[in-house]
Amino acid sequence: MEIALPPHINDVKGFLADDEAKALYEQALSVAERGPVLEVGSYCGKSTIYLGLACQQKNSVVYAVDHHVGSEEHQLGEMFHDPDLYDAGEGRFDTFKEFRRNIRLAGLDDTVVPIVATSEVSARHWHTPLAMVFIDGGHSLDAALCDYRCWAGKIITGGVLAIHDLFPAPEEGGQAPYAIYKMALASGLFEPIARVNTLGLLRRI
């Protein structure tokens, strides 16, 4: 399936492989008529753009939840710190300006709804059923568990749960996303759709 991507897509900072991005787009396209999509962990908006392009076709929306101050691994001195995204004046990591720019250049201002907050705060009074949830937030066990517990139960029957950065072997990467993936399967609420690279896709039963 060909996707009409914005010209700047390859310049958008992020950690999403092309096959994972295409899979997210296809899954969002398949369910977006039934309700909105929500992602946790937007970073600079790469995944948001793929989800947004699918939702735009179906007159749906993407709620993009991210506090935009970076996860543990993005902070000063950590492995994935990007000095271009560090606001020296504020003394903290800040991806929101870059995120807004990328969404605007993609023509998705009327499709993407940024929510600049944590999962816990965003979900506290959330009542809207969701057609798809994409979890790609903090990779500590506490953060991943919080994201899963906040949002998995809000997915409609037949909706999609996508979890990024699944590494079954500890030497390949952090285990928290894989832990919540296994938790979803063990819950009896989800069945597997596919695994695409490090992206796990499940359907709400």
Side-chain angles (χ1 to χ4, degrees), residues 21 69 129 132:
V69 295
M132 178 174 177

Side-chain angles (χ1 to χ4, degrees), residues 7-105:
H8 76 301
I9 190 66
N10 291 327
D11 298 325
V12 178
K13 296 175 185 287
F15 309 96
L16 193 69
D18 289 345
D19 55 351
E20 297 169 342
K22 183 180 178 185
L24 281 179
Y25 172 86
E26 290 173 349
Q27 292 299 321
L29 195 65
S30 74
V31 297
E33 281 182 321
R34 301 186 58 201
V37 172
L38 182 141
E39 74 166 352
V40 182
S42 303
Y43 197 58
C44 294
K46 191 162 192 175
S47 58
T48 324
I49 289 171
Y50 282 90
L51 294 170
L53 290 172
C55 287
Q56 191 176 55
Q57 292 190 51
K58 301 296 184 178
N59 196 31
S60 187
V61 297
V62 180
Y63 293 105
V65 177
D66 196 313
H67 47 52
H68 286 287
V69 295
S71 300
E72 298 89 338
E73 63 269 22
H74 299 137
Q75 306 309 313
L76 272 173
E78 297 299 326
M79 182 180 296
F80 293 103
H81 178 72
D82 184 340
D84 291 341
L85 298 173
Y86 184 74
D87 187 330
E90 293 290 331
R92 68 178 189 171
F93 199 74
D94 186 352
T95 55
F96 191 45
K97 181 179 179 180
E98 185 74 7
F99 171 84
R100 287 188 301 170
R101 173 182 175 274
N102 288 326
I103 297 305
R104 174 176 53 80
L105 289 175

Side-chain angles (χ1 to χ4, degrees), residues 136-200:
D136 192 21
H139 286 12
S140 70
L141 186 57
D142 284 347
L145 284 172
C146 179
D147 292 339
Y148 175 76
R149 289 168 176 162
C150 282
W151 301 111
K154 303 183 189 304
I155 301 171
I156 61 174
T157 300
V160 174
L161 172 62
I163 303 173
H164 194 219
D165 288 334
L166 301 185
F167 297 106
E171 62 270 17
E172 294 176 348
Q175 295 295 285
Y178 190 55
I180 62 170
Y181 176 80
K182 291 190 293 182
M183 183 181 296
L185 286 175
S187 72
L189 298 175
F190 295 93
E191 61 183 5
I193 300 172
R195 290 274 295 275
V196 179
N197 202 335
T198 73
L199 179 70

